[in-house]
Amino acid sequence: MFRNHKRITIQILKYVIGCGLIFCIIKSLLVGDENKEIPKFNDLEKLLITTDVENSKRLLTVRNTCQKYNLGMYKNPNKPSAFKHPPAPQYSVFYILRSRDLSYCPIYKAGSTTWIYNLCLLMNVREEELNSGKEQISTIARKAIPELEFPEADEALRATKKLLVVRHPFERLLSAYRDKLENSVAGREHGTLHFYRKYGSKIVEKYRETNFMPPGEDLVIRRNGEPPPAGIEPTFREFVQYLIHTDLANYGDDHWMPYYLYCTPCAIDYDILAKVETLWQDQIYTIHKLHLEDVIKPRWRHSGGYQNASKIYFGQLNRELVQKFYEKFKLDFELFDYSPDDYYQYATAS
């Protein structure tokens, strides 16, 4: 009996330790740099100055590109525009906090969860509610920060500092594919089945070849602990073909709509342009510029991605397809000074 009791005790301890380890791993994936020490005194001042200079360069690149292609508020009506551009901003997508002098356009798969989380904290939403998992964080945020309509939204945008966070376009689009379309079995609480029915099934119907062969195991990433895809989902190659041939302004989803259409940087004079690639320092800069350092801190509210995912998935494409993919999102690349060069090297398919 004593031995049985001892065995049960050991099993319980193993279970507790295992759960603790899993919790630590999940927490580290979610918060990332959240516990990274923020620079102080001279180091902080240097970071703020350096980031301010970089921010000015980024904003200038946006303005020059908008002027180059004759778009938005830089448009000369006597000259043609190279791209189809919305006549006005999408006011309804913004989170506008007049009490905090901040307006934010959330580009999904580009640090949006991090900043929506921050906005909720600014609106006194409790972290327990944000972390409970009972509702999507965007749903909680919309309850705390209702949409504003024109002309109130236009006036509020003009009166507040405007924040935009972007990411390398190819990385964002690959992330959207993996999160929403790659596996219709896993993640249904996040809408994967809905995305399959609305987009995935139609992509497969239109772009799947008669002699279709699924990508090799070296061209996909399977997440540990998730059920495998059903085999009916679009491949990354098929998703790219869909993006290339679709009028995304009218038929796309927010998760893969081009930046210039969704957050209209040629129609809005943004004050802060952050990037996922430099999100930690850009958050520090933004928080200090808005005088919010006593309320929120830099954080990373995203699950960790596979570091070399693009090298793997772009292996499903050939260089010609990468070129067409780039041309489809060329304006986003130029507006935010990103390069497609590395991705041509990843393309190995015939």
Side-chain angles (χ1 to χ4, degrees):
M1 184 173 178
F2 174 75
R3 289 181 179 177
N4 289 338
H5 179 75
K6 184 177 180 181
R7 190 182 304 115
I8 292 171
T9 302
I10 292 173
Q11 288 176 344
I12 292 173
L13 284 172
K14 287 181 178 179
Y15 176 78
V16 171
I17 292 171
C19 289
L21 180 60
I22 292 171
F23 173 78
C24 290
I25 292 172
I26 292 174
K27 184 177 180 182
S28 68
L29 289 174
L30 284 173
V31 301
D33 286 336
E34 192 165 336
N35 296 320
K36 188 175 179 179
E37 186 176 352
I38 299 173
K40 297 179 180 178
F41 308 116
N42 290 341
D43 290 337
L44 175 60
E45 185 177 357
K46 289 178 183 177
L47 183 148
L48 295 177
I49 292 172
T50 302
T51 309
D52 187 62
V53 171
E54 179 61 28
N55 185 62
S56 297
K57 290 180 180 178
R58 292 172 179 176
L59 295 175
L60 181 60
T61 299
V62 169
R63 295 187 189 106
N64 289 342
T65 306
C66 294
Q67 290 174 343
K68 173 183 175 181
Y69 291 111
N70 197 34
L71 299 172
M73 57 187 173
Y74 305 94
K75 181 177 176 62
N76 181 340
N78 298 318
K79 295 181 180 180
S81 296
F83 294 89
K84 183 179 179 180
H85 192 272
Q90 292 196 90
Y91 296 110
S92 62
V93 306
F94 278 84
Y95 291 93
I96 302 176
L97 284 72
R98 284 175 286 197
S99 62
R100 295 293 186 176
D101 188 29
L102 173 62
S103 294
Y104 169 59
C105 184
I107 292 178
Y108 298 105
K109 314 309 298 180
S112 59
T113 302
T114 293
W115 269 104
I116 292 174
Y117 191 98
N118 281 335
L119 299 185
C120 287
L121 294 179
L122 292 176
M123 296 303 292
N124 299 315
V125 178
R126 294 181 301 110
E127 289 201 71
E128 291 81 4
E129 180 180 355
L130 295 173
N131 297 328
S132 68
K134 294 180 180 179
E135 287 185 297
Q136 293 275 5
I137 192 168
S138 57
T139 302
I140 298 173
R142 266 299 169 224
K143 291 179 181 178
I145 313 167
E147 296 176 8
L148 297 181
E149 299 295 337
F150 184 86
E152 185 181 10
D154 184 64
E155 294 172 358
L157 281 178
R158 294 177 187 276
T160 54
K161 291 184 175 63
K162 292 159 284 294
L163 168 66
L164 179 62
V165 184
V166 297
R167 180 183 185 182
H168 192 290
F170 282 168
E171 295 294 334
R172 174 219 177 197
L173 294 165
L174 173 58
S175 179
Y177 164 75
R178 296 195 66 216
D179 191 43
K180 300 300 181 185
L181 289 171
E182 184 176 36
N183 191 334
S184 65
V185 180
R188 290 192 171 182
E189 69 277 12
H190 300 300
T192 54
L193 184 59
H194 161 77
F195 273 85
Y196 170 74
R197 289 171 175 168
K198 186 172 182 179
Y199 298 105
S201 60
K202 296 177 178 62
I203 293 172
V204 170
E205 181 180 357
K206 186 168 184 178
Y207 296 103
R208 181 144 297 177
E209 298 174 353
T210 305
N211 57 346
F212 169 76
M213 290 288 291
E217 288 300 312
D218 60 330
L219 296 176
V220 295
I221 299 169
R222 300 298 180 220
R223 293 183 172 98
N224 292 331
E226 283 191 355
I232 57 176
E233 300 88 349
T235 64
F236 181 61
R237 180 187 181 94
E238 291 165 343
F239 175 62
V240 169
Q241 290 174 310
Y242 154 77
L243 292 176
I244 291 170
H245 295 104
T246 300
D247 178 1
L248 297 175
N250 294 314
Y251 301 104
D253 183 83
D254 293 351
H255 289 81
W256 47 81
M257 187 177 290
Y259 301 150
Y260 78 92
L261 292 175
Y262 191 71
C263 287
T264 56
C266 291
I268 294 175
D269 192 11
Y270 283 92
D271 299 279
I272 303 170
L273 176 50
K275 291 187 174 183
V276 168
E277 293 82 1
T278 53
L279 189 58
W280 185 74
Q281 67 197 51
D282 289 347
Q283 281 192 84
I284 293 175
Y285 171 74
T286 303
I287 289 169
H288 279 77
K289 193 173 182 68
L290 297 172
H291 308 293
L292 299 173
E293 56 268 30
D294 293 331
V295 189
I296 57 176
K297 63 180 180 178
R299 64 183 71 242
W300 179 252
R301 304 300 304 180
H302 300 265
S303 59
Y306 195 91
Q307 194 169 9
N308 297 318
S310 55
K311 292 183 180 180
I312 293 172
Y313 282 85
F314 272 74
Q316 296 182 26
L317 313 181
N318 56 37
R319 291 195 170 204
E320 181 183 359
L321 203 55
V322 174
Q323 177 62 24
K324 291 179 180 178
F325 195 14
Y326 164 70
E327 289 172 358
K328 183 73 175 189
F329 290 86
K330 177 182 177 180
L331 186 53
D332 282 353
F333 276 86
E334 290 196 30
L335 281 166
F336 304 110
D337 196 24
Y338 286 108
S339 170
D341 291 351
D342 288 342
Y343 298 81
Y344 292 103
Q345 300 175 30
Y346 305 155
T348 57
S350 57

